[in-house]
Amino acid sequence: MLLVALSGWNVGQWVERLQKKMPGREIVALGEPFDRRAVHYAVSWKHPAGSLAALPNLSAIFSLGAGVDHIFNDDRLPDVPIYRVVDPDLTNRMSEYIVMHCLMLLRQTRRYDAQQRIQSWDDDRFQPAARDVRVGIMGMGELGQDAAHKLKMMGFNVAGWSRTPKTRDGIPSYSGDAGLKDFLARTDILVVLLPLTPQTRGIINERLLRGLAQDGRLGKPALINAGRGGLQIENDILKVLDEGVLGHAVLDVFETEPLPRESRLWSHPHVTVTPHNAAMSDPDAIGALVARQIAKLEAGQEPDYKVDRARAY
Ligand code: NDP
Ligand code: OXD
């Protein structure tokens, strides 16, 4: 039996799509009556803490997202392997978001939108070339590397920062604490695609943002965070925006989600907010992934994309 343990997403839709991908398998949603001994697998998106405990035959948990911080929030998490989403559907969605916002920053679309509203262009029509804009990606994993590759194809001058060095596509790689200062100093658009772990919590803070390049072709540096809200200190972002140290922030994720009505981020002229949907998990694509992963397990093979509990991602 597969237990569907979700909060905040449409449970009925997930059960229906998972059932289509795994006809014949018994699937139950949390909240329905079920025999706890019959559960062998669970899929989770922000499952309520403790809801996966006391399942004596549970052998694997599948995160329905790429991130797994939502799973580690459970202080009664059973000690079984956890697998996460790595899937071209989700990866493409994220790269669309990152490329789109880098291009919007490059081509200053918000400035022209504002000018359209007052029916008057200013005299400054010059647009910098993508090759003169330095994008720095924090988190060069599945999502960061794909975004880096696609941004490079668009002509941007791309580099990455990660825990361990990378050698792909000739993209300059910076790593660890030792590489951070130089990475920030060459970055005009900072793209954050890190997982939320004890090491990365609060990493997007005033000190880090003050380290971004101030000599770039966009005038002021910009931030795009599509990783997790816990990576950022929102008061610090607002402070450096107000001071003009940061030119613009594009935020898909927030310290508290949904973004509270009273947050200044909603109305700040240099902030763009989106509702944590940079790369939604599509039930068809991710349902098919879960079905493949369970088939592997039942064929005696190790499923892909196992989460390292010690690293927490
Ligand atoms: P991966 O695990 O593939 O990549 C994580 C990257 O972060 C790796 O390059 C890793 O370094 C780096 N990293 C982790 N910890 C550190 C650290 N302490 N210092 C420096 N680098 C570090 O994850 P994905 O690319 O698949 O996903 C990234 C995140 O994107 C997810 O965890 C999730 O939070 C977020 N996400 C957001 C979505 C949205 O809609 N907004 C949708 C999907 C995901 P190394 O390679 O050296 O291990
Ligand atoms: C994910 C997300 O982690 O959607 O996949 O945030």
Side-chain angles (χ1 to χ4, degrees):
M1 183 191 282
L2 172 67
L3 175 65
V4 178
L6 315 183
S7 54
W9 284 0
N10 182 333
V11 181
Q13 186 192 41
W14 275 94
V15 171
E16 185 213 318
R17 304 295 176 87
L18 286 161
Q19 193 74 75
K20 272 204 181 125
K21 302 292 174 197
M22 291 174 276
R25 185 173 298 282
E26 208 180 341
I27 300 182
V28 289
L30 213 58
E32 293 169 13
F34 64 93
D35 174 1
R36 300 191 76 84
R37 285 164 309 179
V39 175
H40 288 98
Y41 314 109
V43 292
S44 162
W45 180 253
K46 299 184 182 171
H47 70 264
S51 58
L52 304 184
L55 298 170
N57 296 310
L58 185 72
S59 61
I61 300 170
F62 299 97
S63 170
L64 291 182
V68 288
D69 49 299
H70 64 102
I71 290 184
F72 290 118
N73 281 339
D74 182 351
D75 56 1
R76 281 159 286 161
L77 190 64
D79 187 16
V80 298
I82 301 166
Y83 303 92
R84 70 185 192 96
V85 168
V86 175
D87 188 84
D89 181 86
L90 185 135
T91 302
N92 288 336
R93 289 168 194 269
M94 182 57 87
S95 290
E96 284 168 11
Y97 184 91
I98 302 300
V99 172
M100 173 181 77
H101 283 290
C102 285
L103 286 171
M104 286 175 77
L105 290 162
L106 173 73
R107 300 306 299 250
Q108 307 167 66
T109 54
R110 291 172 191 89
R111 195 173 127 224
Y112 292 113
D113 285 348
Q115 293 180 10
Q116 183 177 350
R117 281 194 293 277
I118 57 164
Q119 299 175 321
S120 168
W121 310 124
D122 66 21
D123 289 336
D124 181 9
R125 309 271 162 90
F126 181 75
Q127 298 278 336
R131 68 175 174 277
D132 293 328
V133 173
R134 298 161 295 181
V135 180
I137 304 188
M138 290 182 89
M140 285 293 277
E142 296 290 339
L143 302 180
Q145 291 200 30
D146 191 71
H149 173 70
K150 289 171 181 167
L151 286 166
K152 196 177 164 189
M153 277 169 50
M154 292 305 304
F156 287 99
N157 179 349
V158 186
W161 181 79
S162 43
R163 193 176 51 85
T164 56
K166 302 277 171 270
T167 50
R168 200 185 133 182
D169 286 348
I171 291 172
S173 167
Y174 297 78
S175 57
D177 289 346
L180 188 55
K181 191 164 175 252
D182 288 348
F183 165 78
L184 295 172
R186 56 79 59 212
T187 295
D188 302 316
I189 302 179
L190 180 67
V191 172
V192 184
L193 285 171
L194 287 167
L196 180 61
T197 70
Q199 287 69 39
T200 60
R201 184 173 286 281
I203 193 168
I204 311 302
N205 54 36
E206 181 178 345
R207 184 152 176 264
L208 178 136
L209 294 167
R210 287 192 189 282
L212 292 170
Q214 289 292 329
D215 59 353
R217 297 301 290 271
L218 296 180
K220 294 290 172 199
L223 164 70
I224 302 174
N225 183 10
R228 279 292 180 268
L231 300 167
Q232 72 201 14
I233 308 293
E234 287 165 13
N235 282 339
D236 287 10
I237 294 174
L238 286 163
K239 184 173 178 200
V240 291
L241 282 167
D242 290 342
E243 286 177 12
V245 171
L246 187 68
H248 199 90
V250 176
L251 305 174
D252 184 54
V253 286
F254 306 95
E255 288 174 13
T256 302
E257 293 183 7
L259 181 62
R261 284 191 72 85
E262 61 275 16
S263 171
R264 265 220 299 143
L265 294 171
W266 284 108
S267 55
H268 196 288
H270 299 303
V271 175
T272 301
V273 289
T274 53
H276 194 149
N277 68 348
M280 292 289 287
S281 290
D282 169 58
D284 282 324
I286 307 312
L289 171 68
V290 172
R292 288 196 301 276
Q293 295 277 65
I294 292 179
K296 273 198 159 186
L297 255 183
E298 295 187 345
Q301 297 163 19
E302 172 74 27
D304 301 311
Y305 321 126
K306 187 170 177 188
V307 173
D308 181 332
R309 279 194 181 232
R311 289 188 327 203
Y313 68 96

